[in-house]
Amino acid sequence: MKRAPYTFGTDQTGKQYWRSLDELAETPEFKAAVEREFPDGAAELIDPVSRRSFLNLMGSSAALAGLAACRRPEEKILPYAHQPESMIPGNPDHYATVVPFLGTAVGLIVESHAGRPTKIEGNPLHPESLGAANIYIQASVLDMYDVDRSTSPQEAGKPSTWAKALETLTARGAALKGKQGAGLAILTEAHRSPTLQKALNDLTAQLPGAKVYRYEPHHRDSVREGARLAFGKVLDPVLALDKASVVVSLDSDFLQTEYSPLKNARGFAARRKLAKPGDTLSRLYSAESRYSITGANADHRLRIKSSEVGAFAFALARQLATAHGVALPADVVSALDGFKGTQFETKKKWVAAVAKDLANAEDGALLVAGWNQPASVHAVVNLINQALGAVGTTVSFVKPFDESAEGPASLAALTESITKKEVDTLVILGGNPVFSAPADVGFAAALQSVPFSAHLSLFHDETCSKVTWHLNRTHFLEEWSDARSEDGTAAIVQPLIAPLFAGRTDAEVVRALLGDTRKAYELVRATWAEGQGLAAENVWRKALHQGVIAGTTSVAEVVAVAAPDLAKAISGLPKSDGFEVTFAPDSHALDGRFANNGWLQEMPDPMSKITWDNAAQISPSTATKLGVRDGDLLSIKTQKGGTVKVAVAVQPGQADESVALTFGQGRSVVGRVGVGVGFDTYPLRSSAEHGIATGAQVQKVEGRHQLARTQEHHVMEGRPIVLETDLKGFTAQPDFAQKRAPNPPASLTVLPDWKYEGHKWGMVIDLNSCIGCNACMVACQSENNIPLVGREGVIRSREMHWIRVDRYYADMADDPATVFQPLPCMQCENAPCETVCPVAATTHSPEGLNDMAYNRCVGTRYCANNCPYKVRRFNYFNYAKDFSAIKKGAQIGTFFKEDLPEIRKMQFNPDVTVRSRGVMEKCTYCTQRITEVKLANKRDGKPGIKDGEIRTACQQTCPTEAIHFGDLNDPKSDVSIHAQQPRDYSLLAELNTRPRTTYLAKVRNPNAELETA
Amino acid sequence: MTTTLSPQELENDPSKRMPLVLGGKDFHGVTEAVAGIVERKMPVPWALGFLLALSVLGIFGASLGDLIGIGIGEWGNNQPVGWAWDITGFVFWIGIGHAGTLISAILFLFRQKWRTSINRAAEAMTIFAVLAALQFPLFHTGRPWFAAYWLLPIPNQMNIWPNFRSPLLWDVFAVSTYGTVSILFWFVGLVPDLATLRDRSKTRLGQIIYGIFALGWRGSHRHWVNYERAYLMLAGLSTPLVLSVHTIVSFDFAVSILPGWHTTIFPPYFVAGAIFSGFAMVMTLMIVARKAYGLEHLLTMRHLENMNKIILATGTLVGYAYGMEFFIAWYSGNDYESYVFFVSRATGPYAWAYWTMISCNVLFPQLFWFKKLRTSIPVMFVISIIVNIGMWFERFVIIATSLHRDFLPSSWGYMTPRLIDITFFLGTFGLFFTLFMLFVRFLPMIAIGEVKAVLPAADPHNHGHDSSGQGGKHHAHA
Amino acid sequence: MPTHETGKPFALVGYFDTPAQLYHACEKLRDAGYKKFDCHAPFAVHGLERAMGVGPSRLPWIVLAMGIVGFTAAITMQWWMLAVDYPMNISGKQLFPIPPYVPITFELTVLLSAFGCFFGMWGLNLLPMYFHPVMQHPSFHRATDDKFFVAVECKDPNYNAERTRRLLEEDGAQELLEVES
C-alpha cells in the first residue's frame, strides 16, 4: 500500500504518477472511479446500488497495490513483516502503527488485505503493547468502516467541502492575527501527539492570545496532583508489576482501564506463572467498591466503598509508619492520626496483615491508587512507595507529555471564559465534550454562544450538532501522525489506507488556522526531522518498519519527598456518608467514543456479562435494602449533579451502599448501532465529584428494563469446572487438578485409538494467567468474521462468539471470589458433535482439528445439543448479511432486511468463509492461519513448521500469554511443555471426550493471616 | 341372526361376551352401513369441519412460508436449547402414528377380532400422523432444501455420503420405512372394499376412480389365498417395525451424552408412550366418528372399553418409566444426572411442564380402574384428550429440561416459544384433520370385508345356531 | 390369464346366499375332480381353499428373497460408503463399527420384504386386471357385497353344462348362467 493518502487530484510535487494500469490507459472508468473515490464517493460506499463502482474502486486499489514496486511513492509507508516487493494480492501485509489510548499510546501491527486493514494486533516491539491489544483497540478497526461515519464537513448542519472549510479556517486565523489571537480557544483531547503539540506551540507563538485546553472524561489529574503533593512536581507514574511481589490496589483497575493496562497485565501475569512446586507467586491485595477484574484477580479483596478507600490507605500508612518504621514526614503522620477511630480501626486485622506483607516483601512492594481517588491518597501512596524503596524498581516517575490539567478544571475554565465572552473562535479537536462534560459545567449551553465553533470528529455526535462547523476527522488507520506512550516512547501513526472520506488530522486543522497547507505526512516528517534524527530516509524507514522510534523513552525523574501541603490535603479528605456513586469508563463504549461499535456493544462486560447496555451495579444486600432486583429501575441523584434513571444489575462483590456506574452509554446523537443503548450517566458527574459522588439519593422507581446477559447462571454448582487451590495446596499436591477431574483409563475401550502422525494441534490455557479481559473474544471476532446478533439475539441467547470467557462466582452472596475461564472449542478427539451429524458436516482432520464444513451443514443443531461445552454457534438468521441484526432492539426476522453496507464488508477477513443462514459454526483453532503458514513454508521450501510460527488470534492478542498453542507431537513445543505441567487438566474429563484444549488449574496466593478474614 | 345385548345386560350375565356387531346386521347390512356413509350426500357438519381443518392448514402454510423465508430463528430455539417445539412436535406425531399399525398388525396377529371395526381408521390416522410428523424434522433444519437431499445416500457434488452413525439418519430410514409400509398395509386392506364401492357406485366417475384403485379385484378365492397370506406377512413385518420406529426415535436422545437423554430405558419407555398417546388419539377420533355417523353398533362399547384398558396399562407403564428415571439418576450417583431430574425437572424453571406431564399421563388414566368411568363416553373423551396433552409435555420435558441446563452452568439458558412455534405446531393439526376428513368422506372408514368375516354368518359351518360374534373362532386362518 | 374370443362360453357362474352353501358346493366339485373352478366372495371364507383343493401360497418365498436382498444391500452400502469410498475420522470411531449400522440394516430389510410382499401378491394374483369374463354375470356386483359366487370353467375336462348345473343347484346355487369369454 503505497499511495497518496489524500488527493488523487493535483500532485503537490508537480510530478504525475500513474497508479494502475487502468490509469495508465486512462480508461474513463478509472477516472470516474478516481473522482468518485474521495470525498464524495463515500456516500456511495454505503449505498448498495453502487456496489459495482465500489468493486471497481477496490479493484483499482488492489492493482495499484500490486504495482507498488514500480514507482517511487510520493509518501511511503512501510510494511512491517516484509518488503513491499512481496506484496501479492491475496497475501496480507502487516504494517506497524500506533494508537493513543487512555493517556498512553499502544504500538500496533495491522493486517491489511489488498489495501484493506482487516485486523489490529499489538506490536511486540512496542513497550506499551508487547504484542497485545485490548478490546477497544482491536475493535476500533470496525469504526473506520462504520457506515455512520461523518463523510464530509458541514456548515451549520449542511454538507460542505473541505476546500470551503479550510478557506474559512484560514480566513478565521488571519482575522485573529490582528488581535494576537485573542478570542481563539482550542480544545483537545488528552492527546499524545508531538506533531499536534508542535502545531499548537507554533499557534500560541504566533497568536499569543490563543488558549489551549485539554479535556478527557477519564483522566489522571488526581494522579499528577498526587505526585505534586508528594514530590513537588507534576509527574506520571510508570508501573512495573513484573518487579513487584506484593501489590496493593487501592480502588484501581490497572488491569483494564487505568495506567497502562496491557503492560500492567503482562507484568502482573509474569509473577503469576507457575511451572513446578516451589515456584513463587506475587500477591495482590485489592480494596475497592466496584468489582473490577483487578479485584477479581486479587488474592485478597477488601469490599469497601471507594470513598472509604482513602481512610483505609491512611490507616495502612499509619500502620506502616508506627509498626514497621516506614519513614513518613512527621506532619503527615500526625495528619494521619486524625483518622484514628474511622471504621478502619475495625478492619485492623486487614490493615495489619497488609502492612506487614508490604514491609516484608522480599522484592518489590507496590501500592497503586485508582484514578478516582483524591490526590491526597495518591500522595500518601507515593510517599509509602518512596519509603518502601519501590520508586525506581516497581514504579518510576516520568515527566508527563503535557502537564496541563485534562480533567473538569480545564473545561470549566474554558466554559467560564466563553461565558465571559472572551472566546469568539473555538476549535474542538476530537472528543465529545457536549456529551461528556461534567454536569455542573454548562458547556453545551456556552458552546452555542460562541460565534465561530468548529468540531473535528469521526462521527456526528452531540457536539457536532452544537457547533457552526463540523469537520470530519481521519480514523487513526487513515492518518499520518505520531504518539508518545506513558513512558514517553514515541512511534509514528502511519495510514493503512487513504482516508475513505477525505478527513483531516488534528494537526492539519490547527495548521490551517495559520494558513499552513502542509499535509499530515510532511508535518510528521518535519516534527521528526528536527533534532530527532529521523531526517535520514533509512532511519525514518526503520522507525516506520519497527513501529517504535528508538531512544525516545523518557528517563525516570529522580524524586524526593517534598510535601508541604500534604498534611492539609489529608485532613481535607472528603467524608464518606450515605450512598456513594462511582464512575468508571463503560466496558462497551469506553467514554462514549465506541458507542456505535457493534463488536464492543456485544462484548459482555467482564464481570456482569451484560451486553448492549450499562447498569447500576449494587450489592445483593443493598438490593434487598432497596427492594430491587435485576432489571428494576433506580432513580439516582448526586448532590452536585442531576438525576438519572438506571437499570439495576445486582453484582456480588459490590460494596454495600455503593452504586457503580459506567459512563459512555446512552448517547443521544449517535449512529444506528448505538442509538438508544444504555443510560447516560454523565449528568451525575460533577466537576467536584468527577470520580466518586457521596451522599447520593438512590431509590426504586417504576418500570423495568431487560438486561441482555451472555451468562445467566453464575456459580459452578460444585462441579469440577474451574479447579483452583492455594500455593500451599499446590506444593502439597501439584497434580491436584488431575486428582479432582481424572481422565478415564485408556483401558476403557478395547479398540485401538486413532493415530495422529504429523502434526497434532493442541492448546493449553493457563487459568492462573487469565485475567478475564475479553481481548481474545474480540481478536476471534475480527479474525473469523463472527457476526453480531444484536440485543434481541443476546436476550434469546443466540450470541455467536466462538471463544467466550466464562465467569464464575464462588457464591451469589455479597463477597464472592471470582474465576475466569476462556472457552474455545475443545477439539475433542472423541468429539460428541461429530458422530451425531447426519450429513458428516463435522469431522476430524488428520491433525486432530474438529473441522466444520459449512457448505455441507444442513443445520439440524444436533451437534450443538450434544456438545457438553456448548461452544457451537448456530446462524438462526442471516446474521452475516442482515444489518438489522446489529441494530439495537431490531426484531430480526422480519421480511424487511437491511443488507450489510458495502463499506462494512471491507473489514471481513478474506481467508475465512462468511457463514450463511442455517449453518452451524465454531472455533477451528484458526485453521486458516495454520494453512497459511503451511503453504508459505511449503512454497519457501522450509522444512516443517517451527514452534510458535502459528499463533491463533486469541493466543496472539492475549495480554497475559495465558493461551499456548502448538503441536502436541513435538515434545519440545511450548504447548507440550505446558501440557506436561502437573496443573494440567481436561474439562469434563470423565466424559472421555479427550479434549485437545486443556487447562492449567488456578493457584491463588493468600496471606495466611487473612485466611479467616 | 345375532342377539342384541346391551352392556348392562352383560353386566348381569358375565358368562356371555359382548358381540362385536350389534343390531343384527347381515352382510348387506354391513355394506350399507359403511358404504352408505361414502355414498350419502355431503353432510353439512362434515363440510363445516372440513373447512375448519382447511383453515388451520392455511395457518400451517403461512407459518411454513415464514419459517423458510426468514429462518429457524422464527422459532424460540437458542443456545443451549437447540431443539424445542420442533422435535417435540415430531415425536408427538410419530407417537400418535403408532396406534394404527399396532392395532392393525399386533392385534391381528393375536387374533383380536375386535380390531376389525377400528383398524381401518386407525391405519389412516397412522399415515396422516406420520405425514404431520415429517414436517418437523425436515423444516426444523437450517437449510431444508439441502437436508431433503443430503440426508439420503444419493451421490452429490461433494462425493460425500451421509453419516450412518448418526441417530438422525436412523430416523430418516425408520420413519420413511414405517410410513411406506403403513401405506402398503393400509392399501392392501382397502382394495376389497374399494371393489365394493366400485360395484355399488352409481356414477361413472365413481366407478372409474374406485375401479382403478380396486385393481380389478373380483373376490376370487384363489386371490384371497395370496391376499390373506400377504396381509398376515405385512402384519408380521409391521409388528417389529412399529416397535423399532419409536425405539430409534428414542435413540436420538439415548445415544447422546446429555444428562436426561443418555439413558437405556428410553426405547421401551418411548414405545409404551407412543402406544399410550396413539390409542388416546384413536379414542378421540373414534368417539367423534361413532357419534357423527351412528356407528354404535359397529364400534361397540366393548371396543372402547378394551382401548381404555390399554390406555390404563400403557399409562401406568409410562408412570413406571418416570419413576425409574429418578431412581437411576439417584442410584448412578452421577451429579449431572441427578441435577437434571431432582432440580431441573422437579423444581427447576420447567417444573410446571414436568408436573403437567405427570398429572396428565400418570394420574388421570388411573380413573380407568373404575368400570363406570371406563365405559362413560364423556369421561373417556376428556381423558383421551388430556393424555395427548400430557404426552406432548412429556416430549417437551425430555427435550427442553435436559438441554436448558447441561454440564457447564455458564451456558445454561431458558427457551420461550415465539409465535411461529405455536402456529406451526397447531398447523400440523390442520394437515392431519384435512386428510382425515377427506378419508372419512371418500373411503370406507371401517373394513367392510373384515367385519363381515367376523359375523357369525361368515362361518362356513355355521347354520344359524351360533349366538355370539365369536362364531368361526375354532376355524383358524390358513 | 384366460384368453377369450367372444362368443365362446367361458364358465358357468352362479351364487349362493351363505358361505356354508358355497363351502359344500366346493367340496363336491373338488371330490368330483373339478380343477378349473373359482369362488368369488366378499371376504375370505375361512378354509375354503381346502374345500377347493387349492394349495398354499408361494408368496413367502418371494418375501424371504427380498428380505435377504435388503439385508445385504444395507450392510454393503454402509460399509462401502463410510469405510471404502470416503473414510473419515468421526469422533475417533472405527470405520466399520457394527452397532451403529444395525438400525438401518433392520429398516432396509423390512422395507424390501414389504415391497416383496406387496408387489409379489399382486403379481401372483395377476392383478390389476380390469376385465374378467365372470364380471359379465348380471349379479356379479354382489360378489363384493353379500353373495358367494362359484364359477366353473368350461375348459375343465369334467365340465358338462347339465351335470355341473345340477351339482351346484343341489346346494342352492341361484341364477346359474354361462358367461361368454
Side-chain angles (χ1 to χ4, degrees), chain B residues 34 100 103-104 115-128 185-194 197 227 231 286 436 439 443-450:
Chain B
V34 180
I103 291 172
S104 272
R115 78 184 255 288
T116 50
S117 305
I118 48 172
N119 67 325
R120 170 70 44 77
E123 288 164 32
M125 185 199 73
T126 292
I127 292 161
F128 304 149
F185 193 47
W186 184 63
F187 181 71
V188 168
L190 261 175
V191 166
D193 294 357
L194 289 172
L197 291 178
Y227 178 95
Y231 201 80
M286 279 302 156
F436 200 80
F439 161 73
L443 291 173
M445 80 175 93
I446 289 180
I448 305 172
E450 296 187 38

Side-chain angles (χ1 to χ4, degrees), chain A residues 710-721 796-799 804 806-808 821 823 832 834-840 854-862 864-874 876-878 891-895 897 916-920 987-988 990-991 993, chain B residues 65-83 86 140-147 150-151 156 158 160-169 251-253 255-258 261 334-336 339-340 403 405-414 416-418:
Chain A
T710 59
Q711 188 176 339
E712 298 290 351
H713 199 88
H714 311 294
V715 296
M716 279 188 276
E717 298 289 337
R719 302 177 175 185
I721 296 169
R796 290 213 162 273
S797 78
R798 291 168 175 175
E799 58 272 8
R804 62 175 195 264
D806 289 347
R807 184 266 302 116
Y808 294 106
Q821 183 175 44
L823 211 88
E834 290 172 0
T835 184
V836 298
C837 176
V839 292
Y854 301 123
N855 58 345
R856 174 71 176 173
C857 176
V858 299
T860 66
R861 303 186 296 291
Y862 198 177
N865 291 347
N866 210 31
C867 171
Y869 310 97
K870 289 287 171 280
V871 291
R872 291 182 154 259
R873 300 290 182 234
F874 186 67
Y876 277 98
F877 291 114
N878 206 351
Q891 187 61 47
I892 337 164
T894 56
F895 277 107
K897 294 206 183 65
S916 85
R917 175 191 126 194
V919 168
M920 190 62 69
L987 186 56
L988 302 178
E990 82 224 60
L991 296 175
T993 52
Chain B
D66 182 84
L67 200 64
I68 295 175
I70 295 165
I72 286 306
E74 284 300 82
W75 276 339
N77 305 31
N78 60 19
Q79 277 288 351
V81 188
W83 290 347
D86 44 3
H140 97 293
T141 59
R143 306 196 292 176
W145 44 94
F146 287 134
W150 292 340
L151 280 171
N156 53 63
M158 300 175 194
I160 187 173
W161 301 107
N163 173 17
F164 295 106
R165 298 176 183 84
S166 167
L168 281 188
L169 203 67
F251 285 166
D252 287 349
F253 310 106
V255 168
S256 83
I257 63 169
L258 215 63
W261 282 12
N334 179 321
D335 296 347
Y336 306 109
Y339 187 90
V340 167
L403 279 172
R405 290 186 167 189
D406 64 343
F407 295 96
L408 300 182
S410 62
S411 48
W412 288 0
Y414 190 81
T416 38
R418 300 181 71 184

Side-chain angles (χ1 to χ4, degrees), chain A residues 90-306:
Chain A
N91 282 21
D93 266 343
H94 299 80
Y95 299 86
T97 184
V98 64
V99 59
F101 182 81
L102 286 182
T104 177
V106 179
L108 305 175
I109 303 299
V110 181
E111 182 177 350
S112 169
H113 285 271
R116 298 174 293 114
T118 57
K119 186 168 187 305
I120 294 179
E121 298 181 347
N123 180 353
L125 299 182
H126 194 284
E128 290 294 305
S129 157
L130 303 165
N134 64 22
I135 58 173
Y136 305 104
I137 293 170
Q138 292 187 79
S140 58
V141 66
L142 206 56
D143 280 352
M144 186 178 79
Y145 297 120
D146 193 325
V147 65
D148 299 317
R149 266 182 75 178
S150 158
T151 57
S152 76
Q154 287 189 354
E155 182 173 14
K158 284 169 210 53
S160 177
T161 64
W162 266 107
K164 190 151 183 306
L166 293 172
E167 199 178 293
T168 322
L169 283 171
T170 319
R172 199 80 198 173
L176 285 160
K177 276 223 167 53
K179 27 183 195 151
Q180 297 304 305
L184 171 61
I186 310 260
L187 176 61
T188 74
E189 300 174 277
H191 74 89
R192 318 267 312 172
S193 162
T195 300
L196 177 56
Q197 195 74 334
K198 190 157 170 296
L200 291 167
N201 294 345
D202 294 0
L203 182 87
T204 39
Q206 294 183 32
L207 306 170
K211 291 242 174 0
V212 179
Y213 302 88
R214 294 160 67 85
Y215 176 65
E216 195 72 35
H218 183 49
H219 57 88
R220 49 172 83 192
D221 273 5
S222 60
V223 181
R224 293 175 173 173
E225 178 60 11
R228 198 191 57 74
L229 280 173
F231 305 129
K233 46 185 169 180
V234 174
L235 297 167
D236 277 347
V238 177
L239 310 178
L241 282 97
D242 55 331
K243 300 204 177 62
S245 64
V246 178
V247 183
V248 179
S249 159
L250 299 166
D251 201 29
S252 170
D253 185 9
F254 59 77
L255 289 179
Q256 187 79 331
T257 55
E258 290 179 356
Y259 300 100
S260 172
L262 291 165
K263 189 174 60 184
N264 296 344
R266 177 67 59 90
F268 173 70
R271 299 297 297 247
R272 309 288 292 188
K273 303 276 178 199
L274 202 58
K276 56 188 187 312
D279 292 3
T280 58
L281 288 180
S282 70
R283 180 172 294 145
L284 172 61
Y285 298 93
S286 169
E288 61 180 9
S289 60
R290 165 176 158 269
Y291 208 165
S292 71
I293 69 168
T294 309
N297 285 286
D299 297 296
H300 290 287
R301 178 169 180 272
L302 182 60
R303 189 176 62 103
I304 53 174
K305 292 160 73 175
S306 294

Side-chain angles (χ1 to χ4, degrees), chain A residues 687-736:
Chain A
S687 39
E689 298 183 327
H690 211 223
I692 306 164
T694 59
Q697 294 160 23
V698 180
Q699 67 220 19
K700 180 182 184 187
V701 287
E702 275 320 298
R704 284 186 59 75
H705 174 87
Q706 187 171 16
L707 296 167
R709 281 193 155 117
T710 59
Q711 188 176 339
E712 298 290 351
H713 199 88
H714 311 294
V715 296
M716 279 188 276
E717 298 289 337
R719 302 177 175 185
I721 296 169
V722 178
L723 301 181
E724 67 174 305
T725 183
D726 57 18
L727 203 48
K728 280 207 302 310
F730 174 68
T731 334
Q733 189 187 40
D735 60 349
F736 72 100

Side-chain angles (χ1 to χ4, degrees), chain C residues 24-54:
Chain C
H24 290 132
C26 288
E27 283 175 327
K28 285 161 80 181
L29 284 169
R30 179 192 62 195
D31 302 343
Y34 286 84
K35 290 267 170 296
K36 292 189 181 319
F37 70 100
D38 199 352
C39 303
H40 302 273
F43 55 87
V45 179
H46 301 313
L48 190 59
E49 56 277 10
R50 279 196 302 282
M52 294 167 66
V54 176

